[in-house]
Amino acid sequence: MIGDFMLWLEETGSTQNILKEFSFPYGTVVVANRQWEGRGRFGRKWHSEEGGLYFSFLLRAEDFKELLPLPLVVGYGVLLQIERKGFKPMLKWVNDVYVSGKKVCGVLVERSKEKVVVGVGINLNQKEFPSDLMATSLYMLRNEVFEKKDFLLETLEILDRVLEEFKNFGFEKFRPAIRQRLMFLGEEVVVYSQEPVVGIFEDIDQEGSLLLRTAQGLLKFNAGKVSLRGSKIF
Ligand code: ATP
Ligand code: BTN
């Protein structure tokens, strides 16, 4: 089970690196109170000041028939936990959770051979962010402090259940619930792959890929090196 073995550090470069560089049993969770080199996708910086919840866990690639939808499924697990606390979160395809238009969680999946390292950053109790970030924390949204250890254990319990279902039944099982909580669904968006493409975010398919209705027809983007923006901020 995820979290049977856990390492809780006061500070580290990135919890991702600990699991990548050392040998731990599958399911191990590494948590840090602060990271000095927290990262997001494409090597972007992940602000990891005191107050946030930063953890990574180790999965085995061969346990999964499909890995592409993993960020979406993990994001959905975190979203369920945030919903349980009474918020109305949305999933921003493919790896982010937003509340009230601001980002509260990001998921990073990195693979090296059989190891799949999943990193989750949740903005829990931070009191502020740089204004250019479009970020918020659960504390800032409700003026309530969340107990980090409890929040982590509850989240891991949900992730364990969700990932077990993903292993056994695949992404299809999650598609309806995820679709209901997708940001920008049915709206005009810009998808950044090689070059920006504008279209209507029509749906996600059985692999979690984004289907974009454009003047050239229906285009499909898988999670790879693709970013999504609402066209209003374009
Ligand atoms: P996309 O996932 O579509 O590419 P994104 O801008 O969210 O969009 P990510 O790579 O997912 O990109 O996340 C990294 C970005 O998240 C950073 O470039 C920064 O803008 C933002 N960010 C960094 N730290 C935090 C944080 N603690 N909370 C919220 N957002 C953050
Ligand atoms: C993103 O939005 O691009 C993903 C952000 C992932 C951040 C988490 S925090 C724990 C783990 N360690 C890292 O350096 N990154 C992930």
Side-chain angles (χ1 to χ4, degrees), residues 4-230:
D4 276 351
F5 186 70
M6 205 178 303
L7 198 65
W8 197 310
L9 306 167
E10 188 53 37
E11 191 173 17
T12 187
S14 161
T15 54
Q16 293 288 101
N17 295 349
I18 308 268
L19 287 175
K20 285 173 116 178
E21 288 166 16
F22 300 97
S23 246
F24 286 106
Y26 289 106
T28 297
V29 176
V30 177
V31 198
N33 288 335
R34 291 182 303 278
Q35 301 179 111
W36 64 81
E37 273 174 349
R39 62 173 179 269
R41 299 201 305 155
F42 319 128
R44 290 173 185 148
K45 178 182 164 65
W46 183 258
H47 287 255
S48 307
E49 323 297 337
E50 185 78 45
L53 173 56
Y54 314 107
F55 66 96
S56 301
F57 55 92
L58 191 62
L59 301 175
R60 180 179 19 219
E62 68 173 31
D63 285 346
F64 297 88
K65 288 187 266 308
E66 38 179 358
L67 281 169
L68 224 48
L70 195 57
L72 212 43
V73 172
V74 171
Y76 173 66
V78 175
L79 173 142
L80 290 180
Q81 164 68 359
I82 294 175
E83 270 184 359
R84 246 174 53 169
K85 299 290 173 192
F87 296 93
K88 294 243 172 305
M90 300 285 277
L91 268 174
K92 183 173 151 283
W93 188 91
V94 60
N95 68 324
D96 300 323
V97 182
Y98 277 63
V99 178
S100 305
K102 292 188 171 176
K103 185 160 162 178
V104 293
C105 165
V107 176
L108 175 67
V109 175
E110 296 178 316
R111 178 169 181 187
S112 81
K113 300 189 187 124
E114 260 317 283
K115 280 185 178 182
V116 178
V117 180
V118 183
V120 179
I122 305 175
N123 296 332
L124 211 55
N125 294 322
Q126 292 100 319
K127 298 203 165 51
E128 58 182 6
F129 289 98
S131 55
D132 58 317
L133 259 195
M134 287 304 285
T136 192
S137 70
L138 299 187
Y139 169 83
M140 287 158 74
L141 286 161
R142 202 201 276 160
N143 218 6
E144 175 184 338
V145 174
F146 292 84
E147 220 286 301
K148 207 189 273 189
K149 188 168 137 246
D150 293 345
F151 198 95
L152 172 67
L153 294 180
E154 289 164 12
T155 306
L156 292 178
E157 206 180 300
I158 295 180
L159 286 176
D160 193 65
R161 177 168 50 79
V162 162
L163 288 171
E164 217 34 55
E165 281 181 36
F166 179 51
K167 246 185 240 174
N168 296 331
F169 307 108
F171 181 71
E172 196 53 36
K173 174 118 204 291
F174 295 93
R175 191 149 69 121
I178 287 181
R179 200 192 259 130
Q180 271 181 17
R181 295 162 169 94
L182 272 182
M183 242 171 121
F184 303 134
L185 190 66
E187 295 175 22
E188 190 175 80
V189 292
V190 187
V191 175
Y192 291 85
S193 62
Q194 255 89 313
E195 53 190 46
V197 191
V198 182
I200 304 291
F201 184 174
E202 188 155 296
D203 206 349
I204 46 170
D205 70 6
Q206 66 280 2
E207 296 156 342
S209 298
L210 183 154
L211 301 176
L212 190 72
R213 173 71 55 197
T214 72
Q216 289 77 43
L218 198 61
L219 301 182
K220 171 176 160 167
F221 295 90
N222 64 33
K225 293 200 179 318
V226 178
S227 288
L228 173 70
R229 297 279 179 283

